[in-house]
Amino acid sequence: MALKKKTLHGFGWSFADNIGNQGITFLVTLVLARLLTPADFGLVAMIAVFTAISNTFIDSGFTTALIRKMDCTQKDYSTVFYFNLAVGFILFIALYFAAPALSIFYKQPELTDITRVLAFGIILSSLSVIQRTILTKRIDFKLQTKVSLISSVLSGGVGVGMAFGGFGVWSLVGQQLGRQLFQSLLLWVMNRWRPSLVFSVDSFRELFGFGSKILASSLLDTIYKNINTLIIGKFFSSATLGYYANADKFQAVFSANLTQTIQRVSYPVLSSIQDESAKLKQAYRKLIINTMMGTFALMLGLAACAKSVILISIGYQWEPVVPYLQLLCLSGMLYPLHAINLNIINVKGRSDLFLKLEVLKKIIAVPVLVVGVFWGVYALLVGMVVTSVVSYFLNSYYSARLIDYPTREQLADIAPLLGISTLVGLVMWSVTFLNWNLFATLAVQLLVGLTLSYVIYDRLKVTEFLELKAVIVGSIKRIRNERR
């Protein structure tokens, strides 16, 4: 399969995977938000930082190392599998015995049992890392999509069923643990890879030489992404943390999906042409423009419609989520751009530079966390927006040195896209001043946003938009012809 076709095929299935998985999970969250309280969501969110760090340790950068390596063997895969599994058991035991201390830290006695049950999910996750890695290296996201969709539906049914049964916060625990269980089972059933009874020290050393720096970078990034949850949970109420957690879920429907899709597909694709400089730069530039055209539109559009979306979907008890969501959209809209710039650093084999960048960015972010503790949640969220912008300039500066695509060229490519989306977002937001009912307001906002975006991009003849339009029109015609 040609690289372009393979890339488009991978993007299509990966995006379907993320949208389907997150979409189902999101719909389940909407149901649970009407059955449970903000405090229930806050309790589960308090454990997120610890499970996220544990999952980072399980991977230990080996996924990135395996995908980048051109000639992986069964010995490589088996070695990493047994390492993943061993670390998973160690972390489960550590978190199990640390559970009482965590409940004391947060002053929430019920967290002891919740933590111990959720910790079992670490072992389940360790079982599926290599299965996913092999499929990602093949750019086979079709199977992963099936697994994700089935797992989301089944675990969503568990969560909603438990909520209707009056299990309260344990409904969220059941949903989360169920998803990890179903994903692991399905990956083992549907993917034919099995480990051999071998552990190679040489293979471990080779892969860990590259992956260790990715591990350190990932740990820093994971801690930073989740430290906000820890700070809000410690210094504010569990309800406040619940508001923040659900606002993050809303923005993640677009931001996290796009970022994960970009990371999963672009890394193996770009790695396959890592030694072809001109081709690599061309593919890289195209990737940035197409990604940010969609990201800016989605994130700024969501910020403009935040009030209507929140009140319609989960009710007036969640109205405090609105400003949280708007600020998270502003910081989150740059996440896919971060992912692309960081991917090129790994593609070029500079995991050392990747680590240095992460250390530098986290040092810059420390004052934001301090401000959040003393000035409140809104100050923390504004600080996240500033940090996201600063991080972009750092990422793009260093990636440009590896691929000859300087920041000024990137900005020249994406600035018009940001300008168009900002204008459209402001027009959409102005509709709220008409004081119509929520459903009418949201309908008009969406209609205005889609129409105005189409007209502007079409009139300005933006190349990437016209290419996307041609692909969509061609697909529609092909489907119609097949039906005839």
Side-chain angles (χ1 to χ4, degrees):
M1 188 184 293
L3 182 64
K4 182 178 180 181
K5 187 175 181 181
K6 195 173 185 180
T7 303
L8 290 173
H9 189 265
F11 268 119
W13 279 110
S14 184
F15 190 70
D17 180 5
N18 283 314
I19 286 294
N21 184 28
Q22 290 290 332
I24 294 169
T25 302
F26 181 69
L27 291 174
V28 171
T29 299
L30 297 186
V31 177
L32 293 176
R34 291 183 175 274
L35 298 172
L36 306 175
T37 67
D40 290 331
F41 282 87
L43 281 172
V44 173
M46 288 175 182
I47 311 300
V49 62
F50 303 102
T51 54
I53 290 173
S54 297
N55 285 324
T56 301
F57 269 115
I58 290 172
D59 180 85
S60 295
F62 283 113
T63 295
T64 305
L66 286 168
I67 293 173
R68 184 179 183 274
K69 187 176 179 180
M70 302 297 287
D71 53 346
C72 288
T73 64
Q74 174 70 4
K75 181 173 62 176
D76 293 328
Y77 290 131
S78 298
T79 297
V80 175
F81 171 78
Y82 290 120
F83 172 81
N84 293 154
L85 190 58
V87 173
F89 273 101
I90 292 170
L91 291 171
F92 165 73
I93 293 170
L95 202 52
Y96 183 91
F97 286 106
L102 293 179
S103 67
I104 293 173
F105 174 79
Y106 283 117
K107 299 179 181 179
Q108 300 284 351
E110 57 267 54
L111 275 184
T112 298
D113 292 335
I114 292 174
T115 301
R116 286 174 169 172
V117 174
L118 285 175
F120 184 69
I122 297 171
I123 297 176
L124 296 175
S125 295
S126 70
L127 289 168
S128 61
V129 174
I130 289 299
Q131 296 283 5
R132 285 194 177 278
T133 300
I134 292 173
L135 292 173
T136 300
K137 190 172 178 66
R138 295 177 191 160
I139 316 180
D140 180 2
F141 296 100
K142 184 176 181 178
L143 179 56
Q144 294 187 61
T145 299
K146 293 178 182 178
V147 169
S148 294
L149 291 178
I150 296 171
S151 301
S152 295
V153 170
L154 293 176
S155 62
V158 170
V160 172
M162 290 178 69
F164 275 110
F167 285 90
V169 67
W170 287 99
S171 307
L172 298 171
V173 175
Q175 180 200 7
Q176 184 172 321
L177 201 61
R179 182 166 61 248
Q180 293 168 316
L181 174 61
F182 293 131
Q183 284 181 344
S184 293
L185 285 174
L186 289 169
L187 281 169
W188 277 84
V189 170
M190 300 173 74
N191 190 32
R192 295 181 178 180
W193 180 84
R194 296 293 182 268
S196 301
L197 293 175
V198 59
F199 185 94
S200 170
V201 175
D202 291 337
S203 178
F204 180 87
R205 286 174 178 170
E206 177 192 356
L207 294 168
F208 195 65
F210 178 86
S212 59
K213 300 178 184 67
I214 300 299
L215 168 61
S217 303
S218 298
L219 277 175
L220 283 172
D221 190 51
T222 299
I223 292 171
Y224 174 71
K225 285 180 179 177
N226 291 276
I227 198 70
N228 300 323
T229 298
L230 189 147
I231 289 174
I232 296 172
K234 175 62 178 176
F235 295 99
F236 303 94
S237 67
S238 57
T240 299
L241 180 54
Y243 294 139
Y244 171 83
N246 264 354
D248 193 48
K249 287 179 182 178
F250 270 85
Q251 71 88 22
V253 170
F254 297 125
S255 179
N257 279 322
L258 286 168
T259 302
Q260 290 171 10
T261 300
I262 295 304
Q263 286 178 320
R264 291 168 69 191
V265 180
S266 68
Y267 185 62
V269 169
L270 295 177
S271 291
S272 69
I273 54 173
Q274 58 186 279
D275 298 323
E276 304 175 56
S277 299
K279 192 174 182 180
L280 182 60
K281 179 181 177 180
Q282 182 183 11
Y284 181 62
R285 180 176 178 271
K286 198 84 169 176
L287 184 64
I288 284 181
I289 296 174
N290 283 316
T291 299
M292 298 317 296
M293 180 171 63
T295 302
F296 286 143
L298 290 170
M299 298 306 291
L300 291 173
L302 179 59
C305 300
K307 185 174 182 178
S308 302
V309 169
I310 292 296
L311 297 185
I312 289 173
S313 59
I314 53 179
Y316 281 87
Q317 67 165 329
W318 293 93
E319 189 167 2
V321 167
V322 174
Y324 290 24
L325 175 57
Q326 291 171 326
L327 289 170
L328 285 173
C329 283
L330 296 181
S331 62
M333 69 181 182
L334 292 180
Y335 290 167
L337 194 55
H338 297 329
I340 299 171
N341 278 291
L342 291 174
N343 262 356
I344 207 67
I345 293 174
N346 283 333
V347 166
K348 285 296 186 178
R350 293 297 307 274
S351 58
D352 59 324
L353 179 57
F354 190 103
L355 175 57
K356 291 176 183 177
L357 259 176
E358 288 304 310
V359 172
L360 178 58
K361 288 185 292 186
K362 273 40 179 186
I363 291 173
I364 293 172
V366 169
V368 173
L369 303 176
V370 175
V371 166
V373 172
F374 291 100
W375 287 9
V377 177
Y378 291 117
L380 178 65
L381 295 175
V382 171
M384 288 172 62
V385 177
V386 175
T387 302
S388 185
V389 174
V390 173
S391 294
Y392 162 67
F393 282 102
L394 288 172
N395 292 336
S396 62
Y397 173 77
Y398 285 101
S399 67
R401 296 169 63 183
L402 301 174
I403 200 173
D404 191 29
Y405 184 33
T407 303
R408 66 176 181 276
E409 288 187 24
Q410 283 194 31
L411 289 174
D413 285 333
I414 66 175
L417 309 176
L418 176 59
I420 293 171
S421 294
T422 300
L423 173 63
V424 173
L426 288 172
V427 175
M428 293 173 67
W429 177 66
S430 68
V431 175
T432 60
F433 292 104
L434 297 175
N435 292 320
W436 293 340
N437 70 68
L438 293 173
F439 289 95
T441 298
L442 181 59
V444 172
Q445 285 178 311
L446 295 176
L447 180 61
V448 168
L450 290 170
T451 303
L452 192 57
S453 295
Y454 179 88
V455 170
I456 294 176
Y457 278 115
D458 198 56
R459 289 294 178 87
L460 293 179
K461 299 188 182 302
V462 177
T463 302
E464 288 69 26
F465 171 79
L466 296 178
E467 290 178 351
L468 178 62
K469 178 182 174 182
V471 170
I472 294 174
V473 171
S475 297
I476 293 173
K477 287 181 179 178
R478 186 169 61 253
I479 292 171
R480 285 179 177 175
N481 291 333
E482 288 175 355
R483 288 180 176 178
R484 291 175 184 174

